[in-house]
């Protein structure tokens, strides 16, 4: 493990150099890795592992769009693609990549096939951490492990195809075989992680739920809406409001942040912008911090988990989510966004 200084705190991370793909292949050579669920993470992880030489099968509900997608991606019914229970039966490592709500519903069906020595793998600490709400309590004689790619399954796959990698966290909840750690790291490398950092199931789910509700998804849209609507009320056109709120951020400034940090992005903007950003950042921080504190509390008490379970267990949850996404899509801001995207020279 490499010791890396993260801004003054030294942490151990695992990189491909010290745990190369050849070692991952060696660790996994006797295993059948059953990827259960072929939604967003399922395809990314299954295809990356398959192309990395791992023996992968997929378990998915028949007569579903995801089943058809698995077929289109090259998984063969009866050979490498099976109904869920059959795949769990055949697998020695079970990657449980159903939606978190579906994991609860399907658990009683798969539990009998989690026999001694197998490994149960998650990409989220949700099911195990909130066990009082999910009833996901794995048998004691199996490994229970986690690799959580820090990003969308779509990005995991795209970065893999570009020869890059998405960072993942990893955790071992239960080591029944003495091989849990090797299995975990090998899977982490095989799914296409750039490097792996250690966590626990609880820390993973608390930080992940906070991040996606906060700066990664929820807060960012909230900030965009606030600024866009003020600009519009003050008489700015949609194109100006959208460009000054979103397009410039994603196209021009965030790539600079990604490349070399916030100070580098600031340094490449005008001194006028730098002065204003440095003055205003603390006001935004102070306004938003109490909301983040509320959010973390709601995650830690399990309120967020319960809301997610309750809503996403409804038979029509997809339709309802889609209706809310449609509302976003049809908002003036994102309609302006669609027009702006069309105008990018590369999209012409
Ligand atoms: N979406 C992402 O990129 C990320 C997801 N994760 C985690 O990975 C896991 C999988 O998430 P996603 O890929 O987003 O899942 P998803 O929402 O795409 O669902 C995966 C599959 O579950 C199946 N499914 C849904 N309800 C079912 C039911 N009642 N019975 C049987 N199958 C059912 C669907 O057919 C679908 O193929 C979750 O634990 C999630 O938190 C972690 C990091 C990112
Ligand atoms: C993509 C990711 O890692 C998220 C936002 O946490 C998720 O999809 O749950
Ligand atoms: Mg998440
Ligand atoms: Mg996440």
């Amino acid at each position: 493990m490499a010791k890396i200084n993260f801004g003054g705190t030294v942490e151990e991370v695992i990189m491909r150099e010290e745990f190369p793909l050849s070692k991952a292949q060696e660790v996994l050579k006797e295993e059948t890795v059953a990827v259960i669920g072929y939604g967003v993470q399922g395809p990314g992880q299954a295809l990356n592992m398959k192309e990395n030489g791992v023996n992968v099968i997929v378990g998915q509900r028949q007569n579903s769009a995801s089943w058809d997608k698995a077929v289109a991606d090259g998984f063969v019914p009866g050979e490498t693609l099976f109904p869920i229970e059959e795949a769990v039966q055949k697998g020695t490592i079970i990657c449980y990549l159903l939606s978190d709500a579906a994991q609860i519903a399907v658990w009683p069906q798969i539990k009998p096939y989690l026999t001694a020595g197998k490994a149960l793998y998650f990409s989220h600490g949700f099911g195990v951490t909130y066990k009082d709400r999910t009833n996901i309590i794995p048998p004691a004689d199996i490994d229970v492990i986690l690799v959580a790619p820090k990003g969308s399954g779509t990005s995991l796959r795209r970065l893999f195809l570009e020869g890059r990698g998405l960072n993942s966290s990893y955790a071992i909840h239960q080591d029944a075989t003495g091989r849990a750690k090797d299995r975990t790291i090998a899977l982490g490398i095989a799914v296409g992680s750039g490097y792996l950092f250690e966590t626990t199931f609880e820390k993973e789910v608390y930080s992940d739920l906070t991040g996606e509700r906060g700066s990664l998804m929820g807060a960012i849209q909230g900030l965009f809406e606030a600024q866009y609507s003020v600009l519009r009320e003050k008489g700015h056109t949609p194109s100006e409001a959208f460009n000054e709120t979103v397009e410039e951020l994603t196209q021009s400034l965030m790539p600079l942040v990604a490349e070399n940090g916030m100070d580098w992005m600031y340094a490449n903007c005008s001194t006028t912008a730098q002065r204003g950003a440095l003055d205003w950042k603390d006001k935004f921080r102070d306004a938003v911090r109490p909301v983040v504190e509320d959010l973390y509390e709601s995650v830690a008490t399990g309120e967020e988990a319960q809301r997610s379970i309750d809503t996403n267990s409804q038979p029509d949850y997809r339709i309802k989510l889609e209706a809310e996404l449609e509302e976003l899509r049809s908002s003036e801001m994102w309609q302006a966004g669609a027009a702006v995207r069309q105008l990018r020279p590369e999209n012409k």
Side-chain angles (χ1 to χ4, degrees):
M1 280 205 264
K3 287 191 192 309
I4 305 289
N5 184 336
F6 289 95
T9 301
V10 176
E11 296 180 43
E12 288 183 338
V13 303
I14 297 168
M15 294 182 292
R16 291 172 180 176
E17 292 77 26
E18 40 186 321
F19 204 108
L21 181 59
S22 55
K23 187 167 169 189
Q25 289 166 337
E26 179 65 26
V27 170
L28 298 173
K29 72 173 190 288
E30 306 286 324
E31 309 271 14
T32 299
V33 179
V35 172
I36 308 304
Y38 207 77
V40 183
Q41 276 298 317
Q45 297 196 25
L47 291 171
N48 290 0
M49 281 195 280
K50 187 176 148 188
E51 287 166 30
N52 272 335
V54 177
N55 176 25
V56 180
I57 61 173
V58 170
Q60 172 60 36
R61 271 185 304 191
Q62 277 167 301
N63 305 316
S64 64
S66 298
W67 175 279
D68 298 341
K69 183 169 160 38
V71 173
D73 284 351
F75 291 97
V76 180
E79 284 177 30
T80 51
L81 173 61
F82 302 94
I84 291 174
E85 288 173 36
E86 213 177 321
V88 177
Q89 204 170 353
K90 289 186 190 307
T92 57
I93 295 176
I94 315 306
C95 299
Y96 205 26
L97 299 181
L98 298 177
S99 74
D100 296 298
Q103 288 178 22
I104 300 171
V106 173
W107 179 249
Q109 279 147 255
I110 72 154
K111 202 179 165 194
Y113 304 109
L114 299 173
T115 48
K118 289 195 182 190
L120 178 62
Y121 162 113
F122 293 88
S123 286
H124 202 9
F126 194 105
V128 164
T129 301
Y130 299 113
K131 63 178 186 309
D132 296 344
R133 298 166 194 270
T134 66
N135 287 317
I136 295 180
I137 303 168
D141 55 2
I142 65 167
D143 294 342
V144 181
I145 61 181
L146 170 144
V147 172
K150 294 288 111 184
S152 168
T154 304
S155 316
L156 183 73
R157 182 67 182 150
R158 284 186 187 172
L159 290 171
F160 176 83
L161 292 172
E162 289 170 20
R164 299 164 65 197
L166 194 64
N167 309 319
S168 304
S169 58
Y170 74 93
I172 293 142
H173 175 69
Q174 215 167 264
D175 182 3
T177 64
R179 288 190 294 131
K181 185 158 183 193
D182 265 358
R183 279 170 145 179
T184 308
I185 305 306
L187 290 160
I189 295 295
V191 299
S193 305
Y195 71 84
L196 293 145
F197 62 97
E198 193 171 9
T199 188
T200 64
F201 276 58
E202 184 180 281
K203 285 258 168 11
E204 194 284 332
V205 72
Y206 284 14
S207 58
D208 192 85
L209 294 181
T210 301
E212 67 203 17
R213 281 155 182 70
S215 67
L216 303 178
M217 294 171 70
I220 198 80
Q221 171 65 14
L223 172 61
F224 287 171
E225 278 180 41
Q227 180 170 307
Y228 182 90
S229 64
V230 170
L231 287 171
R232 290 288 290 129
E233 272 165 41
K234 300 296 180 188
H236 297 268
T237 58
S239 67
E240 185 164 70
F242 188 85
N243 269 294
E244 213 52 76
T245 302
V246 181
E247 188 73 353
E248 180 170 337
L249 181 70
T250 61
Q251 302 305 296
S252 165
L253 302 185
M254 271 299 155
L256 295 177
V257 177
E259 188 180 291
N260 233 346
M262 192 64 85
D263 62 298
W264 165 250
M265 185 270 269
Y266 280 18
N268 282 281
C269 292
S270 66
T271 51
T272 307
Q274 289 178 48
R275 182 68 269 135
L278 290 164
D279 289 344
W280 278 86
K281 72 177 178 57
D282 293 359
K283 291 185 198 178
F284 280 102
R285 179 198 60 208
D286 294 346
V288 170
R289 198 187 145 101
V291 184
V292 182
E293 282 173 357
D294 282 355
L295 165 57
Y296 194 89
E297 184 64 14
S298 184
V299 167
T301 58
E303 236 175 287
E304 289 305 305
Q306 193 60 49
R307 171 151 168 78
S308 171
I309 293 167
D310 291 343
T311 54
N312 294 334
S313 300
Q314 305 293 325
D316 58 350
Y317 78 100
R318 281 269 170 216
I319 296 161
K320 285 187 171 152
L321 282 173
E322 178 47 40
E324 287 184 67
L325 297 187
E326 169 55 28
E327 206 177 302
L328 264 186
R329 185 160 51 239
S330 58
S331 67
E332 185 195 278
M333 178 168 66
W334 288 109
Q335 285 298 306
V340 167
R341 289 196 296 278
Q342 277 292 313
L343 290 170
R344 290 181 199 152
E346 69 271 25
N347 289 348
K348 283 234 171 114

PDB file of all heavy atoms in Angstrom, residues 124 208-209 212, ligand 3:
ATOM      1  N   HIS A 124     -22.281  -0.094  -2.295  1.00  0.00           N
ATOM      2  CA  HIS A 124     -22.833   0.933  -1.423  1.00  0.00           C
ATOM      3  C   HIS A 124     -22.994   0.308  -0.048  1.00  0.00           C
ATOM      4  O   HIS A 124     -23.362  -0.875   0.059  1.00  0.00           O
ATOM      5  CB  HIS A 124     -24.206   1.360  -1.978  1.00  0.00           C
ATOM      6  CG  HIS A 124     -24.670   2.717  -1.531  1.00  0.00           C
ATOM      7  ND1 HIS A 124     -23.888   3.603  -0.848  1.00  0.00           N
ATOM      8  CD2 HIS A 124     -25.866   3.337  -1.692  1.00  0.00           C
ATOM      9  CE1 HIS A 124     -24.575   4.719  -0.622  1.00  0.00           C
ATOM     10  NE2 HIS A 124     -25.792   4.571  -1.117  1.00  0.00           N
ATOM     11  N   ASP A 208     -21.490   9.119   1.025  1.00  0.00           N
ATOM     12  CA  ASP A 208     -22.078   9.033  -0.322  1.00  0.00           C
ATOM     13  C   ASP A 208     -23.452   9.720  -0.367  1.00  0.00           C
ATOM     14  O   ASP A 208     -23.743  10.498  -1.282  1.00  0.00           O
ATOM     15  CB  ASP A 208     -22.206   7.568  -0.732  1.00  0.00           C
ATOM     16  CG  ASP A 208     -22.524   7.410  -2.204  1.00  0.00           C
ATOM     17  OD1 ASP A 208     -21.580   7.410  -3.012  1.00  0.00           O
ATOM     18  OD2 ASP A 208     -23.719   7.308  -2.544  1.00  0.00           O
ATOM     19  N   LEU A 209     -24.288   9.428   0.632  1.00  0.00           N
ATOM     20  CA  LEU A 209     -25.622  10.052   0.641  1.00  0.00           C
ATOM     21  C   LEU A 209     -25.507  11.565   0.831  1.00  0.00           C
ATOM     22  O   LEU A 209     -26.283  12.334   0.256  1.00  0.00           O
ATOM     23  CB  LEU A 209     -26.500   9.438   1.746  1.00  0.00           C
ATOM     24  CG  LEU A 209     -26.894   7.963   1.583  1.00  0.00           C
ATOM     25  CD1 LEU A 209     -27.784   7.504   2.735  1.00  0.00           C
ATOM     26  CD2 LEU A 209     -27.600   7.705   0.260  1.00  0.00           C
ATOM     27  N   GLU A 212     -24.143  13.076  -2.681  1.00  0.00           N
ATOM     28  CA  GLU A 212     -25.088  13.144  -3.814  1.00  0.00           C
ATOM     29  C   GLU A 212     -26.245  14.103  -3.540  1.00  0.00           C
ATOM     30  O   GLU A 212     -26.744  14.762  -4.449  1.00  0.00           O
ATOM     31  CB  GLU A 212     -25.582  11.742  -4.207  1.00  0.00           C
ATOM     32  CG  GLU A 212     -26.454  11.061  -3.176  1.00  0.00           C
ATOM     33  CD  GLU A 212     -26.483   9.530  -3.303  1.00  0.00           C
ATOM     34  OE1 GLU A 212     -25.613   8.940  -3.968  1.00  0.00           O
ATOM     35  OE2 GLU A 212     -27.397   8.931  -2.705  1.00  0.00           O
TER      36      GLU A 212
HETATM   37 MG1  LIG B   3     -24.846   7.050  -4.133  1.00  0.00          MG
END
